Amino acid sequence: MEPSALVRELFAWAHADAAGLMASVLALPVLVPLLGALFAFVMRRWAAAIGLVTLLALLATVLLLIPWLLGAGAQGLAVGGWGAPLGVDLYADGLSLAMLLMTAVVGLGISLYAHSYFRADPIREQAFWPLWLLLLTALNALFLSRDLFNLYVTLEILGLSAVALTALAGGAKALVGAMRYLLVSLLGSLAYLLGIALLYHAYATVDLALLAARIDAAPATWAALALMSAGLILKTALFPLHFWLPPAHASAAAPVSAALSALVIKGSYYLLVRIWLELVQVQSDGVATFLGLLGAGAVLWGSIQALVQTRLKLLIAYSTVAQIGYLFLAFPLAAGTGGLAWSGALYLALSHALAKAAMFLAAGNLLRFGGHDRIADLDRVVQRLPLSMAAFALAGVSIIGLPPSGGFIGKWLLLEAALSTGRWGWGIVIMLGGVLAATYVFKVVGFAFTQAEHPHQAQRVPATMEWVAFALAVAAVLLGFLVAQPLMLLEIGDPFAAHVGGMGP
Amino acid sequence: MTPAIIYALTGLGLFVLGLYALIMRAHLLRKILGFNVMGSGVFLVLAGLGQRTPMGGPDPVPQAMVITGIVVAVAATALALSLMLRVVAATGRARLPDPHHD
Amino acid sequence: MDKTKRDLRTAGEEDLDARQERSVQGLTRLVVASLLAVVFVGLALVILALPTEAPGLADQVDAALVDTGVTHPVTAVLLDFRGYDTLLEMVVLLLALAGVWSLAEGSPRTDHRPGVMLDRLTRLYAPLMLMIAGYLLWVGSTAPGGAFQAGAVLGAAGVVLTLTGWRLPRRLAGWPLRLLLVSGVLVFIAAGLVGLGFDRVWLDYPPPWSGALILLIETVASVAIGVTLAALFLGGHPEQTP
């Protein structure tokens, strides 16, 4: 049976010719977590159960979209039936679908972990679930929207829920980290919104596809793109605007840290890539090189900072700063290599989501186990908490980019894009970042074998928390074996093709 | 200079003033106020430039966007103020410590 | 509470630390101010370079207005053309409240005994505010007004009532209140589903029902928005207050 026919049959009960219903399925990745959040908010006592059911439903929804889009190609939905420029359009191609799938899989892992993590603390648990489900709503809405103003609203939901979740840990460090995160996030949103105001008043639309057709190299375009990019770069924490990330990501509760590093920063990065692909398309110009240089700076600075940290969670947070850098190397490398560099960056984003979630969750286990995250005092956790340490090491393999792992494939594609066009400089940055990552991962693993000077009381870690971290790490490695399928998924609708229109040279 | 341009330039001025306060002022309340001034500036640009229609009537789309923006700003401000109170309760100060001196 | 108040004073915070900071910041201030001046001039030039006349979407909104069931263009944009934005915007309000509640840990502001003026004026104003909110809601389909304006007035009424020491009865402060808070978003989503039965996509209201559905959404939304705003002012979750 053809995949699209399967989906159609599933809904055959509703209407003989349910085209409207069929198309509306595209809104489900937004509606499912949104409804879950509303129910978890009202029925506090059942919040955790509602949350887990929601995540299962969300994963099922996204899995349902895959055969549909593989069969029928990229899909759009004119919400409200109007269509751009009056209405808001949703659009799902391979790029959106890959991000949705990443969110659902990593989100399910984090949810299972959080279920155990917050069990002893019902007040935090009840606060966690609505915020967390709204964060997932925002991410999915962001990955599906084509309307720049609508994307502004999704960015705000994403930022506010991320901040509230960060503050949930309590304590001075988490609260201060959350406050700084909030101010930075709001500043980024307003810069983005001012850019949209300029675009709307220049082209009378905020729809990406329509803008791509209408846009020209007017001063308003450049100013708008600069404002929007600056706002999004700030939210993505690209070097040197990364200052807010390590304190926030390191001081949050373990499942929140995992969500922030694995998923939240990918939201603003995704939007930046979309805007770049649809509207800019000026290949190999100064801006792309500039973004690439910032990315290279992030790779080196973030890795070196990770290396000198004495706290495990700060080390992982700085590793995120470095990994964000790789994602920006695709901007200069995309010139002359077609979708190769973009596929590499997106592959890296997906495997980073899995690996970094695994790392932060494993770190959360070590923190719960020993009551601290001082790297030098890890005290033989290899023997005492082998599964979590294995999760950290396996995730490390992907972060370093060793074969076979998702991180390796992503870096390999980027490297190929660099070397096939003879741009050795970028290639050296990619390899150097790998060497530095290996050093900081092995530093942690090394201390896990040694005995601490002051042994301490150990707390029990629930098995679920250990297994979830391990499963996510294994998934990051598995991404290195299944190369063809993710790449095939990414290519639905040809998101990286050079568009007609845009401000081409 | 048409009224639309005057509104837009005023909005731009507010944006920059608010941005200055957000970056330079240490007190969190002033930073939050700075954010609100910035937001008002953006809304003024958005609504002000919507008056350039040939018929003279306002373009309703940016107006609706401004309403949405205001609600978002109100929500963000409420969260920011609550968070500020918690920061004051936890650290005894209404300002952010230097991130490098933790 | 006193300590918090002292710490929140903006003008009085002139300790030694801050003064030292100031002298260091002198140069930084100058640099930042000049950079921002450059940004202002640059963006001002961009705005001056925009065409002096631009139709925007005004004409298209006017042309499509007949299909929406409302006659005021801004309401049509908010509730119909860009209804999805408005739905998400109500989610933002709800999210802010969920965030504020997660932060408050059951320690809302202490009650003040209202003065005679506040007490008497509230008795006078609260019903008046409810009436104004109702009017704004109703008039929204044909003139400036609508759910958010009505919700803001309702919220203000809630704030005034709260200031006089009024609290929601305990048995309503739990899930009934929370259900009321989410009702705006829930009804919005549900109203959007009506079109599915008429072979339309989500949030596409069938023409004969459009006006009625929009009024339904706006009515429920304005109450939910008003209650959310008042709850944001109150701070902590009412069920957890001592």
Side-chain angles (χ1 to χ4, degrees):
Chain A
M1 194 189 309
E2 221 182 303
S4 56
L6 178 84
V7 179
R8 201 167 294 140
E9 200 158 285
L10 273 172
F11 294 101
W13 51 268
H15 206 275
D17 179 29
L21 192 66
M22 266 289 298
S24 301
V25 168
L26 213 55
L28 277 182
V30 183
L31 283 176
V32 168
L34 176 54
L35 286 171
L38 299 182
F39 285 119
F41 180 79
V42 177
M43 295 184 267
R44 296 177 147 231
R45 285 207 188 108
W46 303 93
I50 292 168
L52 288 177
V53 170
T54 305
L55 261 294
L56 287 174
L58 177 60
L59 185 61
T61 309
V62 176
L63 291 177
L64 202 73
L65 290 181
I66 293 175
W68 182 28
L69 266 66
L70 273 176
Q75 293 295 319
L77 166 64
V79 183
W82 296 103
L86 270 187
V88 178
D89 282 1
L90 302 188
Y91 177 76
D93 58 8
L95 180 52
S96 339
L97 196 56
M99 303 306 270
L100 288 175
L101 188 60
M102 167 190 91
T103 306
V105 170
V106 176
L108 181 60
I110 290 174
S111 298
L112 287 168
Y113 185 95
H115 179 57
S116 291
Y117 185 91
F118 288 112
R119 188 171 279 168
D121 190 351
I123 291 192
R124 285 227 161 78
E125 179 174 55
Q126 290 172 3
F128 169 81
W129 285 100
L131 295 171
W132 164 233
L133 293 171
L134 287 178
L135 187 143
L136 293 172
T137 308
L139 276 172
N140 288 349
L142 193 159
F143 296 141
L144 284 170
S145 183
R146 260 209 150 173
D147 183 283
L148 289 175
F149 184 79
N150 183 255
L151 282 161
Y152 158 75
V153 185
T154 66
L155 273 177
E156 289 286 37
I157 304 180
L158 185 63
L160 294 182
S161 56
V163 166
L165 284 169
T166 307
L168 201 60
K173 273 197 175 160
L175 291 168
V176 169
M179 190 78 228
R180 186 176 287 118
Y181 185 8
L182 176 58
L183 293 172
V184 164
S185 176
L186 293 176
L187 172 58
S189 302
L190 282 183
Y192 175 85
L193 187 61
L194 185 58
I196 293 175
L198 293 179
L199 278 184
Y200 178 82
H201 287 300
Y203 301 106
T205 183
V206 284
D207 180 79
L208 265 177
L210 282 180
L211 273 175
R214 293 181 189 173
I215 210 162
D216 51 27
T221 311
W222 288 113
L225 288 174
L227 282 165
M228 292 161 79
S229 305
L232 292 172
I233 283 174
L234 186 61
K235 279 171 173 281
T236 315
L238 175 63
F239 173 87
L241 299 175
H242 65 282
F243 59 94
W244 59 269
L245 184 147
H249 285 205
S251 60
V256 176
S257 300
L260 296 179
S261 254
L263 301 177
V264 174
I265 47 166
K266 307 292 186 334
S268 42
Y269 173 73
Y270 165 88
L271 184 49
L272 196 60
V273 170
R274 273 279 187 226
I275 290 172
W276 183 268
L277 287 172
E278 299 266 0
L279 300 187
V280 186
Q281 282 293 334
V282 188
Q283 308 266 307
S284 87
D285 74 334
V287 182
T289 310
F290 176 67
L291 288 176
L293 283 175
L294 293 185
V299 170
L300 301 178
W301 179 251
S303 301
I304 290 168
Q305 282 296 312
L307 204 52
V308 301
Q309 295 304 314
T310 55
R311 297 282 184 146
L312 182 56
K313 287 191 78 173
L314 272 172
L315 180 147
I316 303 174
Y318 273 106
S319 157
T320 296
V321 172
Q323 298 293 315
I324 291 165
Y326 281 107
L327 305 182
F328 282 86
L329 296 182
F331 285 87
L333 289 177
T337 60
L340 192 63
W342 289 120
S343 301
L346 267 302
Y347 215 97
L348 216 48
L350 298 180
S351 33
H352 176 254
L354 292 164
K356 195 47 66 76
M359 263 194 177
F360 262 125
L361 296 183
N365 292 343
L366 300 184
L367 192 63
R368 162 110 16 138
F369 178 75
H372 70 87
D373 71 338
R374 292 186 300 277
I375 298 167
D377 296 334
L378 279 178
D379 200 15
R380 292 173 295 121
V381 282
V382 163
Q383 294 153 42
R384 300 161 74 190
L385 220 54
L387 207 53
S388 294
M389 212 48 225
F392 184 89
L394 278 180
V397 166
S398 183
I399 296 287
I400 299 166
L402 290 177
S405 69
F408 168 73
I409 303 294
K411 283 190 185 174
W412 181 258
L413 293 172
L414 277 179
L415 207 56
E416 206 180 309
L419 300 188
S420 66
T421 48
R423 285 171 290 182
W424 299 92
W426 301 115
I428 290 171
V429 171
I430 294 170
M431 306 230 247
L432 206 55
V435 172
L436 287 168
T439 320
Y440 63 69
V441 168
F442 284 124
K443 170 181 156 185
V444 176
V445 174
F447 276 114
F449 279 98
T450 55
Q451 189 156 6
E453 279 175 37
H454 313 289
H456 42 72
Q457 208 73 42
Q459 293 277 320
R460 209 184 68 79
V461 177
T464 320
M465 283 164 59
E466 290 221 78
W467 280 104
V468 167
F470 185 71
L472 286 171
V474 169
V477 171
L478 275 182
L479 258 187
F481 288 102
L482 313 161
V483 188
Q485 289 83 349
L487 285 181
M488 187 171 73
L489 206 65
L490 269 177
E491 272 158 27
I492 298 174
D494 218 357
F496 307 126
H499 287 259
V500 194
M503 300 190 306
Chain B
M1 194 164 280
T2 60
I5 298 292
I6 295 174
Y7 278 125
L9 292 184
T10 311
L12 214 51
L14 286 176
F15 181 82
V16 175
L17 280 177
L19 183 53
Y20 179 83
L22 185 56
I23 299 172
M24 295 305 290
R25 296 291 178 189
H27 199 286
L28 286 173
L29 193 56
R30 289 192 170 169
K31 282 184 186 288
I32 294 170
L33 288 176
F35 154 72
N36 273 278
V37 171
M38 270 181 90
S40 305
V42 177
F43 302 148
L44 210 50
V45 173
L46 203 48
L49 288 177
Q51 300 185 348
R52 298 173 303 147
T53 51
M55 311 295 283
D59 183 353
V61 173
Q63 294 209 359
M65 288 176 177
V66 167
I67 291 186
T68 303
I70 288 174
V71 174
V72 169
V74 165
T77 306
L79 187 65
L81 290 173
S82 276
L83 191 52
M84 182 186 77
L85 287 174
R86 282 299 304 277
V87 168
V88 171
T91 66
R93 312 187 69 190
R95 48 175 66 203
L96 295 175
D98 190 333
H100 302 294
H101 291 281
D102 278 344
Chain C
M1 200 64 201
D2 252 11
K3 190 181 170 307
T4 312
K5 263 188 193 152
R6 206 180 323 121
D7 285 335
L8 281 174
R9 259 188 335 212
T10 50
E13 222 188 20
E14 300 273 296
D15 50 22
L16 186 69
D17 201 21
R19 231 174 291 155
Q20 278 174 343
E21 230 169 69
R22 268 191 185 196
S23 57
V24 182
Q25 279 184 351
L27 187 69
T28 325
R29 279 171 186 236
L30 198 68
V31 173
V32 171
S34 351
L35 273 177
L36 290 178
V38 172
V39 170
F40 175 78
V41 172
L43 289 176
L45 290 176
V46 166
I47 283 180
L48 289 171
L50 285 173
T52 46
E53 264 196 6
L57 286 171
D59 298 343
Q60 292 184 54
V61 169
D62 279 345
L65 207 53
V66 285
D67 298 327
T68 63
V70 292
T71 53
H72 194 254
V74 177
T75 305
V77 175
L78 271 177
L79 270 300
D80 203 338
F81 303 134
R82 301 187 66 91
Y84 180 51
D85 276 351
T86 308
L87 173 69
L88 290 184
E89 156 194 2
M90 286 160 59
V91 172
V92 177
L93 262 186
L94 197 63
L95 163 65
L97 185 63
V100 167
W101 279 359
S102 78
L103 282 167
E105 287 192 339
S107 56
R109 64 198 67 231
T110 46
D111 292 337
H112 304 281
R113 200 146 283 287
V116 181
M117 277 296 279
L118 184 59
D119 196 50
R120 290 284 152 82
L121 281 178
T122 305
R123 280 162 209 257
L124 186 66
Y125 282 150
L128 201 61
M129 287 168 104
L130 289 183
M131 209 175 72
I132 292 173
Y135 169 75
L136 281 173
L137 173 68
W138 177 251
V139 84
S141 61
T142 51
F148 288 97
Q149 291 83 337
V153 176
L154 269 183
V159 168
V160 170
L161 282 172
T162 306
L163 283 176
T164 58
W166 182 83
R167 290 293 180 274
L168 204 60
R170 200 160 248 286
R171 72 197 147 79
L172 296 179
W175 67 266
L177 170 65
R178 296 196 296 270
L179 189 62
L180 187 63
L181 288 165
V182 302
S183 61
V185 180
L186 266 182
V187 167
F188 209 141
I189 295 174
L193 295 176
V194 170
L196 295 183
F198 296 82
D199 205 17
R200 288 162 177 272
V201 295
W202 179 55
L203 286 179
D204 184 0
Y205 319 120
W209 300 32
S210 189
L213 281 176
I214 288 178
L215 188 64
L216 172 73
I217 296 170
E218 285 212 283
T219 310
V220 182
S222 56
V223 175
I225 291 167
V227 178
T228 310
L229 289 173
L232 278 175
F233 175 80
L234 196 60
H237 190 292
E239 210 181 26
Q240 288 167 357
T241 53

